[in-house]
């Protein structure tokens, strides 16, 4: 039977992030009562604070979109932050949710949980079948632990909790800091700045040949609300767009959207990361969700948001 969100009190953990923000907007449109709590209210790495806040708040459902996230550089440079903080956040929230008897939890993982050389497109059952991509293994191991912990509460206590694995995400509210961002916001900012300064050149990390699948955060949020309502099961569910491009092709699309032709310089001192990670989203499609927008449309929307909030990104400092 479908889970009715109307009027339900749903805590979006991580509402200030790109994904959490999108989920909060989508849940509000669904008629849910969205609960938000910033770090000044509850520090998710602190077990006592999470337990006390959860016991006092007692949400009906939780979307666990809080995480220490970042691109390939930040993942490689801050292994403790990515492993420790993410383990603590998910363990604290799930145990506190169990103690507060929370009906539904949706835990969010990432496509980097899969082996570096998994068969493509990657089905859900590729999990734990081979070695991980080293540039983000810390984050991946924390996320794998989160999937397993969610499954453990289901197995041991019969909790109706689920997990979803989004592919590489982008959209309004992304992080545009060039040291910690993912590739799409980084290239949007680099092309925009080259256009403003007339630099004529944009530096792209790595070889430009890795393939990535991209999904707009509002499409992810739509899929997550669909899963919250319609899915109850032990297995995690892939959420992708099926749209895959090389990093060079991505740079070319962004050049077109920003409206600036620049020479691409490939910086071979920066890592490529995993060669390809296209997810098999067949299970989600079979359940009835397949509404990802075309990549170019999503980038147009994201660039408009970037321009509207330019000062926030520090691009004109
Ligand atoms: O998005 P990204 O940082 O992360 O990098 P991953 C994707 C690809 O884009 C890599 C290249 O091949 C990068 O070398 N790239 C080119 C750039 N130019 C740039 C640039 O200016 N900035 C960045 N950041 N990349 C992430 C993981 O892996 O995937 C996270 O680090 C998470 O943990 C996420 O799992 C989904 O796609 O390689």
């Amino acid at each position: 039977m479908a889970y009715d969100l109307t009027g339900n009190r749903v805590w979006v953990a991580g509402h200030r992030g790109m994904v959490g923000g999108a989920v909060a907007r989508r849940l509000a449109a669904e008629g849910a009562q969205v609960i938000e709590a910033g770090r000044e209210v509850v520090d998710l790495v602190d077990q006592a604070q999470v337990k006390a806040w959860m016991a006092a708040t007692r949400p009906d459902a939780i979307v666990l979109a809080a995480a220490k996230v970042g691109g390939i550089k930040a993942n490689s440079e801050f292994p403790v932050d990515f492993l420790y903080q993410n383990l603590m956040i998910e363990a604290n929230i799930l145990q506190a949710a169990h103690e507060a008897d929370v009906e539904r939890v949706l835990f969010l993982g990432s496509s980097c949980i899969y082996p570096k050389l998994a068969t493509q497109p990657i089905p859900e059952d590729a999990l734990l079948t081979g070695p991980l991509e080293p540039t983000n293994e810390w984050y991946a191991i924390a996320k794998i632990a989160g999937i397993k912990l969610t499954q453990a509460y289901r197995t041991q206590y019969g909790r109706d909790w689920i997990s979803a694995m989004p592919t590489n995400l982008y959209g309004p509210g992304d992080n545009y800091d060039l040291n910690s961002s993912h590739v799409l916001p980084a290239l949007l900012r680099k092309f925009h700045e080259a256009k403003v300064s007339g630099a004529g050149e944009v530096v792209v990390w790595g070889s430009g040949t890795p393939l990535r699948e991209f999904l707009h955060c509002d499409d992810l949020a739509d899929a997550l609300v669909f899963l919250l309502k319609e899915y109850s099961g032990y297995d995690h569910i892939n959420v992708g767009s099926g749209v895959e491009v090389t990093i060079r092709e991505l740079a070319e699309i962004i050049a077109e959207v920003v409206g600036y032709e620049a020479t691409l310089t490939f910086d071979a001192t920066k890592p490529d990361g995993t060669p390809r990670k296209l997810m098999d989203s067949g299970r989600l499609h079979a359940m009835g969700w397949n509404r990802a927008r075309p990549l170019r449309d999503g980038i147009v929307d994201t660039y408009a948001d970037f321009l509207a909030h330019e000062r926030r990104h520090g691009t004109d400092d």
Side-chain angles (χ1 to χ4, degrees), residues 127-251:
L127 182 63
L128 294 172
T129 57
L132 298 166
E133 156 61 34
T135 53
N136 55 31
E137 65 177 336
W138 320 99
Y139 182 70
I141 284 174
K143 287 297 184 181
I144 292 169
I147 298 168
K148 288 292 159 193
L149 195 54
T150 304
Q151 291 174 338
Y153 284 100
R154 176 175 276 274
T155 302
Q156 190 173 334
Y157 296 111
R159 293 280 170 211
D160 190 7
W161 296 357
I162 57 173
S163 296
M165 296 307 113
T167 191
N168 282 40
L169 303 166
Y170 69 96
D174 209 341
N175 166 23
Y176 289 91
D177 177 302
L178 295 179
N179 279 315
S180 58
S181 67
H182 289 98
V183 59
L184 198 150
L187 292 182
L188 255 187
R189 177 175 176 170
K190 287 180 185 179
F191 272 96
H192 175 76
E193 290 183 349
K195 181 181 178 180
V196 170
S197 70
E201 183 203 31
V202 163
V203 176
V204 179
W205 294 355
S207 64
T209 59
L211 285 154
R212 292 291 184 274
E213 178 190 22
F214 293 99
L215 179 70
H216 191 284
C217 62
D218 287 338
D219 294 339
L220 171 72
D222 192 55
L224 295 180
V225 167
F226 174 84
L227 285 172
L228 257 183
K229 288 162 66 179
E230 305 295 338
Y231 178 66
S232 173
Y234 179 87
D235 294 334
H236 61 278
I237 301 293
N238 287 345
V239 184
S241 61
V243 182
E244 190 188 30
V245 290
T246 64
I247 298 303
R248 176 191 283 274
E249 286 164 345
L250 176 70

Side-chain angles (χ1 to χ4, degrees), residues 4-296:
D4 187 3
L5 285 160
T6 320
N8 274 11
R9 299 169 65 251
V10 186
W11 176 34
V12 179
H15 73 281
R16 289 194 178 128
M18 175 181 74
V19 171
V23 171
R25 291 191 295 275
R26 182 62 188 79
L27 281 169
E30 195 66 27
Q33 219 182 303
V34 176
I35 302 172
E36 300 175 340
R39 192 167 304 179
E40 67 289 351
V41 175
V42 53
D43 178 356
L44 302 178
V45 175
D46 185 315
Q47 187 184 43
Q49 284 191 34
V50 175
K51 284 193 179 202
W53 183 85
M54 191 83 78
T57 312
R58 303 189 82 84
D60 297 311
I62 299 173
V63 178
L64 209 173
K68 168 77 180 167
V69 297
I72 196 164
K73 185 167 185 279
N75 267 270
S76 312
E77 287 177 355
F78 304 106
V80 174
D81 296 358
F82 280 84
L83 183 50
Y84 172 77
Q85 289 185 27
N86 286 316
L87 285 172
M88 293 302 286
I89 290 168
E90 62 208 28
N92 289 344
I93 293 179
L94 293 177
Q95 178 59 24
H98 172 60
E99 289 171 12
D101 217 12
V102 176
E103 279 180 326
R104 290 282 275 166
V105 175
L106 171 48
F107 173 75
L108 283 185
S110 160
S111 58
C112 69
I113 60 162
Y114 292 116
K116 178 183 174 96
L117 301 176
T119 49
Q120 310 275 328
I122 313 171
E124 284 86 354
D125 62 11
L127 182 63
L128 294 172
T129 57
L132 298 166
E133 156 61 34
T135 53
N136 55 31
E137 65 177 336
W138 320 99
Y139 182 70
I141 284 174
K143 287 297 184 181
I144 292 169
I147 298 168
K148 288 292 159 193
L149 195 54
T150 304
Q151 291 174 338
Y153 284 100
R154 176 175 276 274
T155 302
Q156 190 173 334
Y157 296 111
R159 293 280 170 211
D160 190 7
W161 296 357
I162 57 173
S163 296
M165 296 307 113
T167 191
N168 282 40
L169 303 166
Y170 69 96
D174 209 341
N175 166 23
Y176 289 91
D177 177 302
L178 295 179
N179 279 315
S180 58
S181 67
H182 289 98
V183 59
L184 198 150
L187 292 182
L188 255 187
R189 177 175 176 170
K190 287 180 185 179
F191 272 96
H192 175 76
E193 290 183 349
K195 181 181 178 180
V196 170
S197 70
E201 183 203 31
V202 163
V203 176
V204 179
W205 294 355
S207 64
T209 59
L211 285 154
R212 292 291 184 274
E213 178 190 22
F214 293 99
L215 179 70
H216 191 284
C217 62
D218 287 338
D219 294 339
L220 171 72
D222 192 55
L224 295 180
V225 167
F226 174 84
L227 285 172
L228 257 183
K229 288 162 66 179
E230 305 295 338
Y231 178 66
S232 173
Y234 179 87
D235 294 334
H236 61 278
I237 301 293
N238 287 345
V239 184
S241 61
V243 182
E244 190 188 30
V245 290
T246 64
I247 298 303
R248 176 191 283 274
E249 286 164 345
L250 176 70
E252 288 165 359
I253 299 170
I254 290 176
E256 213 182 286
V257 170
V258 171
Y260 187 66
E261 282 304 321
T263 306
L264 299 181
T265 303
F266 292 92
D267 178 359
T269 67
K270 296 288 196 301
D272 269 345
T274 196
R276 190 180 179 202
K277 49 175 168 179
L278 175 65
M279 296 205 304
D280 180 347
S281 302
R283 289 193 67 179
L284 179 64
H285 296 168
M287 284 181 239
W289 192 93
N290 189 2
R291 291 196 284 272
R293 75 197 66 191
L295 178 58
R296 198 179 180 289

